[in-house]
mmCIF file of all heavy atoms in Angstrom:
data_model
loop_
_atom_site.group_PDB
_atom_site.id
_atom_site.type_symbol
_atom_site.label_atom_id
_atom_site.label_comp_id
_atom_site.label_asym_id
_atom_site.label_seq_id
_atom_site.Cartn_x
_atom_site.Cartn_y
_atom_site.Cartn_z
ATOM 1 N N GLU N 1 -42.572 -18.845 77.192
ATOM 2 C CA GLU N 1 -41.687 -19.981 77.249
ATOM 3 C C GLU N 1 -41.460 -20.400 78.714
ATOM 4 O O GLU N 1 -41.360 -19.599 79.618
ATOM 5 C CB GLU N 1 -40.354 -19.647 76.613
ATOM 6 C CG GLU N 1 -39.292 -20.689 76.762
ATOM 7 C CD GLU N 1 -39.703 -22.045 76.239
ATOM 8 O OE1 GLU N 1 -40.406 -22.105 75.185
ATOM 9 O OE2 GLU N 1 -39.350 -23.079 76.868
ATOM 10 N N THR N 2 -41.338 -21.730 78.911
ATOM 11 C CA THR N 2 -41.232 -22.245 80.284
ATOM 12 C C THR N 2 -39.952 -22.942 80.563
ATOM 13 O O THR N 2 -39.186 -22.553 81.462
ATOM 14 C CB THR N 2 -42.412 -23.243 80.546
ATOM 15 O OG1 THR N 2 -43.655 -22.557 80.340
ATOM 16 C CG2 THR N 2 -42.342 -23.784 81.952
ATOM 17 N N MET N 3 -39.617 -24.001 79.794
ATOM 18 C CA MET N 3 -38.505 -24.884 80.157
ATOM 19 C C MET N 3 -37.146 -24.207 80.097
ATOM 20 O O MET N 3 -36.308 -24.430 80.971
ATOM 21 C CB MET N 3 -38.498 -26.118 79.251
ATOM 22 C CG MET N 3 -39.622 -27.100 79.552
ATOM 23 S SD MET N 3 -39.673 -27.627 81.264
ATOM 24 C CE MET N 3 -38.072 -28.325 81.492
ATOM 25 N N ILE N 4 -36.915 -23.310 79.103
ATOM 26 C CA ILE N 4 -35.607 -22.686 78.986
ATOM 27 C C ILE N 4 -35.376 -21.783 80.179
ATOM 28 O O ILE N 4 -34.290 -21.830 80.800
ATOM 29 C CB ILE N 4 -35.545 -21.904 77.688
ATOM 30 C CG1 ILE N 4 -35.636 -22.853 76.492
ATOM 31 C CG2 ILE N 4 -34.257 -21.105 77.600
ATOM 32 C CD1 ILE N 4 -35.641 -22.185 75.125
ATOM 33 N N VAL N 5 -36.351 -20.948 80.504
ATOM 34 C CA VAL N 5 -36.174 -20.040 81.641
ATOM 35 C C VAL N 5 -36.189 -20.791 82.978
ATOM 36 O O VAL N 5 -35.552 -20.365 83.948
ATOM 37 C CB VAL N 5 -37.227 -18.930 81.638
ATOM 38 C CG1 VAL N 5 -37.030 -18.020 80.429
ATOM 39 C CG2 VAL N 5 -38.615 -19.488 81.613
ATOM 40 N N LEU N 6 -36.929 -21.891 83.036
ATOM 41 C CA LEU N 6 -36.941 -22.671 84.288
ATOM 42 C C LEU N 6 -35.566 -23.257 84.612
ATOM 43 O O LEU N 6 -35.157 -23.346 85.737
ATOM 44 C CB LEU N 6 -37.995 -23.769 84.134
ATOM 45 C CG LEU N 6 -38.156 -24.703 85.371
ATOM 46 C CD1 LEU N 6 -38.672 -23.925 86.570
ATOM 47 C CD2 LEU N 6 -39.107 -25.844 85.045
ATOM 48 N N MET N 7 -34.845 -23.668 83.537
ATOM 49 C CA MET N 7 -33.533 -24.306 83.731
ATOM 50 C C MET N 7 -32.361 -23.354 83.740
ATOM 51 O O MET N 7 -31.319 -23.652 84.345
ATOM 52 C CB MET N 7 -33.347 -25.353 82.625
ATOM 53 C CG MET N 7 -34.396 -26.449 82.590
ATOM 54 S SD MET N 7 -34.158 -27.595 81.238
ATOM 55 C CE MET N 7 -32.705 -28.448 81.752
ATOM 56 N N ALA N 8 -32.496 -22.217 83.085
ATOM 57 C CA ALA N 8 -31.292 -21.340 82.869
ATOM 58 C C ALA N 8 -31.373 -19.987 83.540
ATOM 59 O O ALA N 8 -30.435 -19.208 83.378
ATOM 60 C CB ALA N 8 -31.083 -21.135 81.366
ATOM 61 N N SER N 9 -32.433 -19.674 84.279
ATOM 62 C CA SER N 9 -32.583 -18.317 84.807
ATOM 63 C C SER N 9 -32.188 -18.203 86.253
ATOM 64 O O SER N 9 -32.012 -17.102 86.765
ATOM 65 C CB SER N 9 -34.031 -17.870 84.662
ATOM 66 O OG SER N 9 -34.881 -18.662 85.438
ATOM 67 N N GLY N 10 -31.984 -19.333 86.956
ATOM 68 C CA GLY N 10 -31.658 -19.265 88.385
ATOM 69 C C GLY N 10 -32.845 -19.371 89.303
ATOM 70 O O GLY N 10 -32.709 -19.697 90.467
ATOM 71 N N ASN N 11 -34.036 -19.009 88.817
ATOM 72 C CA ASN N 11 -35.276 -19.110 89.563
ATOM 73 C C ASN N 11 -35.211 -18.426 90.920
ATOM 74 O O ASN N 11 -35.684 -18.933 91.965
ATOM 75 C CB ASN N 11 -35.652 -20.606 89.765
ATOM 76 C CG ASN N 11 -36.223 -21.222 88.519
ATOM 77 O OD1 ASN N 11 -37.021 -20.623 87.844
ATOM 78 N ND2 ASN N 11 -35.777 -22.424 88.211
ATOM 79 N N ALA N 12 -34.652 -17.240 90.943
ATOM 80 C CA ALA N 12 -34.602 -16.432 92.146
ATOM 81 C C ALA N 12 -35.414 -15.155 91.879
ATOM 82 O O ALA N 12 -35.135 -14.397 90.914
ATOM 83 C CB ALA N 12 -33.168 -16.052 92.517
ATOM 84 N N ALA N 13 -36.423 -14.935 92.701
ATOM 85 C CA ALA N 13 -37.300 -13.765 92.493
ATOM 86 C C ALA N 13 -36.603 -12.512 93.018
ATOM 87 O O ALA N 13 -36.928 -12.022 94.127
ATOM 88 C CB ALA N 13 -38.633 -13.996 93.203
ATOM 89 N N ILE N 14 -35.679 -11.998 92.277
ATOM 90 C CA ILE N 14 -34.897 -10.813 92.658
ATOM 91 C C ILE N 14 -35.402 -9.626 91.841
ATOM 92 O O ILE N 14 -35.435 -9.682 90.605
ATOM 93 C CB ILE N 14 -33.386 -11.032 92.428
ATOM 94 C CG1 ILE N 14 -32.900 -12.213 93.271
ATOM 95 C CG2 ILE N 14 -32.597 -9.790 92.722
ATOM 96 C CD1 ILE N 14 -31.457 -12.598 92.985
ATOM 97 N N LEU N 15 -35.714 -8.546 92.491
ATOM 98 C CA LEU N 15 -36.158 -7.352 91.825
ATOM 99 C C LEU N 15 -34.996 -6.416 91.603
ATOM 100 O O LEU N 15 -34.498 -5.782 92.532
ATOM 101 C CB LEU N 15 -37.265 -6.643 92.634
ATOM 102 C CG LEU N 15 -37.875 -5.389 92.022
ATOM 103 C CD1 LEU N 15 -38.565 -5.730 90.696
ATOM 104 C CD2 LEU N 15 -38.855 -4.736 92.986
ATOM 105 N N SER N 16 -34.502 -6.404 90.373
ATOM 106 C CA SER N 16 -33.360 -5.548 90.047
ATOM 107 C C SER N 16 -33.359 -5.268 88.547
ATOM 108 O O SER N 16 -34.009 -5.998 87.779
ATOM 109 C CB SER N 16 -32.009 -6.213 90.450
ATOM 110 O OG SER N 16 -31.705 -7.282 89.592
ATOM 111 N N LEU N 17 -32.590 -4.287 88.157
ATOM 112 C CA LEU N 17 -32.496 -3.956 86.712
ATOM 113 C C LEU N 17 -31.284 -4.617 86.072
ATOM 114 O O LEU N 17 -31.129 -4.558 84.863
ATOM 115 C CB LEU N 17 -32.392 -2.427 86.549
ATOM 116 C CG LEU N 17 -33.613 -1.631 86.962
ATOM 117 C CD1 LEU N 17 -33.345 -0.129 86.813
ATOM 118 C CD2 LEU N 17 -34.821 -2.010 86.159
ATOM 119 N N SER N 18 -30.386 -5.228 86.885
ATOM 120 C CA SER N 18 -29.191 -5.832 86.301
ATOM 121 C C SER N 18 -29.546 -7.106 85.547
ATOM 122 O O SER N 18 -30.195 -7.993 86.073
ATOM 123 C CB SER N 18 -28.213 -6.180 87.456
ATOM 124 O OG SER N 18 -27.106 -6.867 86.933
ATOM 125 N N PRO N 19 -29.083 -7.226 84.287
ATOM 126 C CA PRO N 19 -29.375 -8.430 83.517
ATOM 127 C C PRO N 19 -28.549 -9.626 83.940
ATOM 128 O O PRO N 19 -28.810 -10.741 83.501
ATOM 129 C CB PRO N 19 -29.021 -8.011 82.082
ATOM 130 C CG PRO N 19 -28.018 -6.929 82.243
ATOM 131 C CD PRO N 19 -28.388 -6.202 83.501
ATOM 132 N N THR N 20 -27.547 -9.405 84.817
ATOM 133 C CA THR N 20 -26.717 -10.495 85.253
ATOM 134 C C THR N 20 -27.192 -11.101 86.591
ATOM 135 O O THR N 20 -26.521 -12.013 87.120
ATOM 136 C CB THR N 20 -25.257 -10.056 85.415
ATOM 137 O OG1 THR N 20 -25.164 -8.975 86.348
ATOM 138 C CG2 THR N 20 -24.734 -9.574 84.078
ATOM 139 N N ASP N 21 -28.321 -10.630 87.091
ATOM 140 C CA ASP N 21 -28.895 -11.221 88.302
ATOM 141 C C ASP N 21 -29.800 -12.362 87.931
ATOM 142 O O ASP N 21 -30.392 -12.396 86.817
ATOM 143 C CB ASP N 21 -29.670 -10.198 89.083
ATOM 144 C CG ASP N 21 -28.734 -9.216 89.811
ATOM 145 O OD1 ASP N 21 -27.559 -9.534 90.008
ATOM 146 O OD2 ASP N 21 -29.274 -8.106 90.159
ATOM 147 N N SER N 22 -29.949 -13.326 88.835
ATOM 148 C CA SER N 22 -30.929 -14.402 88.593
ATOM 149 C C SER N 22 -32.337 -13.843 88.625
ATOM 150 O O SER N 22 -32.612 -12.812 89.271
ATOM 151 C CB SER N 22 -30.771 -15.477 89.677
ATOM 152 O OG SER N 22 -29.489 -16.089 89.601
ATOM 153 N N ILE N 23 -33.225 -14.507 87.916
ATOM 154 C CA ILE N 23 -34.590 -14.054 87.798
ATOM 155 C C ILE N 23 -35.540 -15.237 87.985
ATOM 156 O O ILE N 23 -35.142 -16.383 88.030
ATOM 157 C CB ILE N 23 -34.873 -13.399 86.406
ATOM 158 C CG1 ILE N 23 -34.593 -14.426 85.296
ATOM 159 C CG2 ILE N 23 -34.029 -12.162 86.216
ATOM 160 C CD1 ILE N 23 -35.112 -14.013 83.967
ATOM 161 N N ARG N 24 -36.799 -14.900 88.055
ATOM 162 C CA ARG N 24 -37.888 -15.915 88.078
ATOM 163 C C ARG N 24 -39.027 -15.344 87.266
ATOM 164 O O ARG N 24 -39.458 -14.214 87.483
ATOM 165 C CB ARG N 24 -38.317 -16.207 89.510
ATOM 166 C CG ARG N 24 -39.223 -17.416 89.642
ATOM 167 C CD ARG N 24 -39.570 -17.649 91.104
ATOM 168 N NE ARG N 24 -40.382 -18.812 91.284
ATOM 169 C CZ ARG N 24 -39.900 -20.033 91.574
ATOM 170 N NH1 ARG N 24 -38.581 -20.206 91.658
ATOM 171 N NH2 ARG N 24 -40.685 -21.065 91.739
ATOM 172 N N THR N 25 -39.575 -16.101 86.373
ATOM 173 C CA THR N 25 -40.635 -15.657 85.472
ATOM 174 C C THR N 25 -41.988 -16.220 85.887
ATOM 175 O O THR N 25 -42.071 -17.158 86.688
ATOM 176 C CB THR N 25 -40.339 -16.029 84.036
ATOM 177 O OG1 THR N 25 -40.384 -17.468 83.911
ATOM 178 C CG2 THR N 25 -38.974 -15.562 83.605
ATOM 179 N N PHE N 26 -43.038 -15.677 85.318
ATOM 180 C CA PHE N 26 -44.392 -16.165 85.571
ATOM 181 C C PHE N 26 -44.549 -17.632 85.180
ATOM 182 O O PHE N 26 -45.007 -18.438 85.949
ATOM 183 C CB PHE N 26 -45.411 -15.328 84.776
ATOM 184 C CG PHE N 26 -45.704 -14.005 85.396
ATOM 185 C CD1 PHE N 26 -45.986 -12.886 84.637
ATOM 186 C CD2 PHE N 26 -45.721 -13.841 86.791
ATOM 187 C CE1 PHE N 26 -46.290 -11.682 85.191
ATOM 188 C CE2 PHE N 26 -45.989 -12.630 87.376
ATOM 189 C CZ PHE N 26 -46.263 -11.516 86.559
ATOM 190 N N SER N 27 -44.140 -17.941 83.947
ATOM 191 C CA SER N 27 -44.327 -19.318 83.435
ATOM 192 C C SER N 27 -43.516 -20.321 84.245
ATOM 193 O O SER N 27 -43.984 -21.416 84.538
ATOM 194 C CB SER N 27 -43.970 -19.377 81.961
ATOM 195 O OG SER N 27 -42.629 -18.932 81.725
ATOM 196 N N ALA N 28 -42.290 -19.956 84.595
ATOM 197 C CA ALA N 28 -41.448 -20.856 85.366
ATOM 198 C C ALA N 28 -42.000 -21.110 86.755
ATOM 199 O O ALA N 28 -41.932 -22.186 87.331
ATOM 200 C CB ALA N 28 -40.010 -20.330 85.442
ATOM 201 N N THR N 29 -42.591 -20.057 87.351
ATOM 202 C CA THR N 29 -43.207 -20.179 88.659
ATOM 203 C C THR N 29 -44.374 -21.164 88.626
ATOM 204 O O THR N 29 -44.479 -22.035 89.526
ATOM 205 C CB THR N 29 -43.684 -18.787 89.142
ATOM 206 O OG1 THR N 29 -42.548 -17.923 89.235
ATOM 207 C CG2 THR N 29 -44.305 -18.925 90.537
ATOM 208 N N ILE N 30 -45.214 -21.044 87.629
ATOM 209 C CA ILE N 30 -46.348 -21.960 87.506
ATOM 210 C C ILE N 30 -45.866 -23.399 87.300
ATOM 211 O O ILE N 30 -46.347 -24.330 87.955
ATOM 212 C CB ILE N 30 -47.250 -21.532 86.298
ATOM 213 C CG1 ILE N 30 -47.844 -20.172 86.588
ATOM 214 C CG2 ILE N 30 -48.342 -22.553 86.058
ATOM 215 C CD1 ILE N 30 -48.598 -19.557 85.393
ATOM 216 N N ALA N 31 -44.853 -23.556 86.438
ATOM 217 C CA ALA N 31 -44.373 -24.923 86.147
ATOM 218 C C ALA N 31 -43.713 -25.541 87.368
ATOM 219 O O ALA N 31 -43.832 -26.733 87.629
ATOM 220 C CB ALA N 31 -43.389 -24.892 84.981
ATOM 221 N N ALA N 32 -42.991 -24.752 88.160
ATOM 222 C CA ALA N 32 -42.214 -25.277 89.278
ATOM 223 C C ALA N 32 -43.120 -25.564 90.504
ATOM 224 O O ALA N 32 -42.816 -26.498 91.259
ATOM 225 C CB ALA N 32 -41.113 -24.321 89.654
ATOM 226 N N GLU N 33 -44.197 -24.809 90.668
ATOM 227 C CA GLU N 33 -44.960 -24.876 91.907
ATOM 228 C C GLU N 33 -46.311 -25.513 91.815
ATOM 229 O O GLU N 33 -46.856 -25.998 92.813
ATOM 230 C CB GLU N 33 -45.057 -23.469 92.516
ATOM 231 C CG GLU N 33 -43.732 -22.807 92.817
ATOM 232 C CD GLU N 33 -43.879 -21.426 93.376
ATOM 233 O OE1 GLU N 33 -45.060 -20.998 93.646
ATOM 234 O OE2 GLU N 33 -42.850 -20.718 93.533
ATOM 235 N N LEU N 34 -46.925 -25.510 90.633
ATOM 236 C CA LEU N 34 -48.311 -25.956 90.537
ATOM 237 C C LEU N 34 -48.424 -27.450 90.807
ATOM 238 O O LEU N 34 -49.461 -27.925 91.322
ATOM 239 C CB LEU N 34 -48.853 -25.646 89.153
ATOM 240 C CG LEU N 34 -50.357 -25.855 88.946
ATOM 241 C CD1 LEU N 34 -51.149 -25.011 89.957
ATOM 242 C CD2 LEU N 34 -50.795 -25.492 87.525
ATOM 243 N N GLY N 35 -47.404 -28.241 90.487
ATOM 244 C CA GLY N 35 -47.483 -29.701 90.710
ATOM 245 C C GLY N 35 -47.442 -30.109 92.150
ATOM 246 O O GLY N 35 -47.840 -31.228 92.489
ATOM 247 N N GLU N 36 -46.977 -29.234 93.058
ATOM 248 C CA GLU N 36 -46.808 -29.612 94.465
ATOM 249 C C GLU N 36 -47.684 -28.763 95.385
ATOM 250 O O GLU N 36 -47.659 -28.986 96.592
ATOM 251 C CB GLU N 36 -45.347 -29.447 94.877
ATOM 252 C CG GLU N 36 -44.393 -30.364 94.102
ATOM 253 C CD GLU N 36 -42.963 -30.194 94.499
ATOM 254 O OE1 GLU N 36 -42.718 -29.325 95.383
ATOM 255 O OE2 GLU N 36 -42.101 -30.908 94.004
ATOM 256 N N VAL N 37 -48.452 -27.807 94.828
ATOM 257 C CA VAL N 37 -49.256 -26.942 95.654
ATOM 258 C C VAL N 37 -50.500 -27.664 96.165
ATOM 259 O O VAL N 37 -50.985 -28.596 95.510
ATOM 260 C CB VAL N 37 -49.641 -25.679 94.886
ATOM 261 C CG1 VAL N 37 -50.638 -26.033 93.776
ATOM 262 C CG2 VAL N 37 -50.145 -24.580 95.789
ATOM 263 N N VAL N 38 -51.013 -27.288 97.338
ATOM 264 C CA VAL N 38 -52.240 -27.833 97.881
ATOM 265 C C VAL N 38 -53.414 -27.264 97.094
ATOM 266 O O VAL N 38 -53.605 -26.066 97.007
ATOM 267 C CB VAL N 38 -52.366 -27.527 99.364
ATOM 268 C CG1 VAL N 38 -53.672 -28.083 99.929
ATOM 269 C CG2 VAL N 38 -51.178 -28.089 100.135
ATOM 270 N N VAL N 39 -54.218 -28.165 96.531
ATOM 271 C CA VAL N 39 -55.375 -27.744 95.748
ATOM 272 C C VAL N 39 -56.375 -27.002 96.638
ATOM 273 O O VAL N 39 -56.755 -27.471 97.698
ATOM 274 C CB VAL N 39 -56.065 -28.970 95.053
ATOM 275 C CG1 VAL N 39 -57.291 -28.519 94.297
ATOM 276 C CG2 VAL N 39 -55.100 -29.682 94.129
ATOM 277 N N GLY N 40 -56.794 -25.833 96.166
ATOM 278 C CA GLY N 40 -57.729 -25.027 96.900
ATOM 279 C C GLY N 40 -57.107 -24.048 97.869
ATOM 280 O O GLY N 40 -57.855 -23.231 98.499
ATOM 281 N N SER N 41 -55.816 -24.116 98.084
ATOM 282 C CA SER N 41 -55.129 -23.192 98.973
ATOM 283 C C SER N 41 -54.979 -21.823 98.320
ATOM 284 O O SER N 41 -55.095 -21.668 97.082
ATOM 285 C CB SER N 41 -53.762 -23.751 99.341
ATOM 286 O OG SER N 41 -52.913 -23.808 98.188
ATOM 287 N N PRO N 42 -54.672 -20.772 99.104
ATOM 288 C CA PRO N 42 -54.442 -19.459 98.497
ATOM 289 C C PRO N 42 -53.304 -19.477 97.468
ATOM 290 O O PRO N 42 -53.385 -18.797 96.436
ATOM 291 C CB PRO N 42 -54.094 -18.584 99.695
ATOM 292 C CG PRO N 42 -54.821 -19.239 100.841
ATOM 293 C CD PRO N 42 -54.717 -20.713 100.553
ATOM 294 N N HIS N 43 -52.243 -20.233 97.778
ATOM 295 C CA HIS N 43 -51.135 -20.352 96.847
ATOM 296 C C HIS N 43 -51.599 -20.918 95.500
ATOM 297 O O HIS N 43 -51.209 -20.450 94.436
ATOM 298 C CB HIS N 43 -50.075 -21.248 97.472
ATOM 299 C CG HIS N 43 -48.829 -21.363 96.652
ATOM 300 N ND1 HIS N 43 -47.870 -22.370 96.903
ATOM 301 C CD2 HIS N 43 -48.373 -20.674 95.581
ATOM 302 C CE1 HIS N 43 -46.921 -22.255 96.028
ATOM 303 N NE2 HIS N 43 -47.152 -21.232 95.225
ATOM 304 N N TYR N 44 -52.466 -21.913 95.554
ATOM 305 C CA TYR N 44 -53.019 -22.540 94.342
ATOM 306 C C TYR N 44 -53.785 -21.531 93.486
ATOM 307 O O TYR N 44 -53.567 -21.443 92.265
ATOM 308 C CB TYR N 44 -53.939 -23.664 94.813
ATOM 309 C CG TYR N 44 -54.743 -24.343 93.707
ATOM 310 C CD1 TYR N 44 -54.197 -25.369 92.965
ATOM 311 C CD2 TYR N 44 -56.078 -23.965 93.423
ATOM 312 C CE1 TYR N 44 -54.920 -26.006 91.942
ATOM 313 C CE2 TYR N 44 -56.823 -24.598 92.430
ATOM 314 C CZ TYR N 44 -56.212 -25.631 91.705
ATOM 315 O OH TYR N 44 -56.972 -26.233 90.703
ATOM 316 N N HIS N 45 -54.582 -20.738 94.106
ATOM 317 C CA HIS N 45 -55.406 -19.768 93.367
ATOM 318 C C HIS N 45 -54.537 -18.594 92.849
ATOM 319 O O HIS N 45 -54.817 -18.047 91.791
ATOM 320 C CB HIS N 45 -56.569 -19.234 94.220
ATOM 321 C CG HIS N 45 -57.573 -20.281 94.566
ATOM 322 N ND1 HIS N 45 -58.376 -20.864 93.609
ATOM 323 C CD2 HIS N 45 -57.898 -20.850 95.757
ATOM 324 C CE1 HIS N 45 -59.169 -21.756 94.196
ATOM 325 N NE2 HIS N 45 -58.903 -21.745 95.493
ATOM 326 N N VAL N 46 -53.483 -18.251 93.569
ATOM 327 C CA VAL N 46 -52.575 -17.200 93.082
ATOM 328 C C VAL N 46 -51.860 -17.665 91.827
ATOM 329 O O VAL N 46 -51.654 -16.882 90.896
ATOM 330 C CB VAL N 46 -51.572 -16.790 94.188
ATOM 331 C CG1 VAL N 46 -50.470 -15.891 93.618
ATOM 332 C CG2 VAL N 46 -52.292 -16.081 95.325
ATOM 333 N N LEU N 47 -51.472 -18.924 91.757
ATOM 334 C CA LEU N 47 -50.803 -19.452 90.592
ATOM 335 C C LEU N 47 -51.761 -19.365 89.379
ATOM 336 O O LEU N 47 -51.296 -19.030 88.254
ATOM 337 C CB LEU N 47 -50.348 -20.872 90.829
ATOM 338 C CG LEU N 47 -49.198 -21.077 91.822
ATOM 339 C CD1 LEU N 47 -48.840 -22.548 91.971
ATOM 340 C CD2 LEU N 47 -47.938 -20.329 91.354
#
C-alpha cells in the first residue's frame, strides 16, 4: 500500500521499535521521490 502510509505515517526514516514513532516505507519512498529524481542518477537506480 502506498497512499495511506504516504499520508499518515510521517515519512521519517527512523529506525526504532516504538510503534508511536514516525516511519517511512518502501512504497511511500518510491511514490514520494521517483517523480522528482534525476533519471539515470544513483538515487534513481536505488529506487
Side-chain angles (χ1 to χ4, degrees):
E1 172 57 38
T2 301
M3 287 307 301
I4 296 176
V5 293
L6 181 63
M7 300 177 69
S9 64
N11 285 317
I14 299 174
L15 182 61
S16 73
L17 295 177
S18 174
T20 60
D21 287 341
S22 296
I23 60 167
R24 190 179 184 93
T25 66
F26 282 146
S27 57
T29 301
I30 296 172
E33 300 179 7
L34 190 58
E36 299 179 357
V37 71
V38 178
V39 177
S41 65
H43 184 195
Y44 174 84
H45 293 294
V46 170
L47 291 178

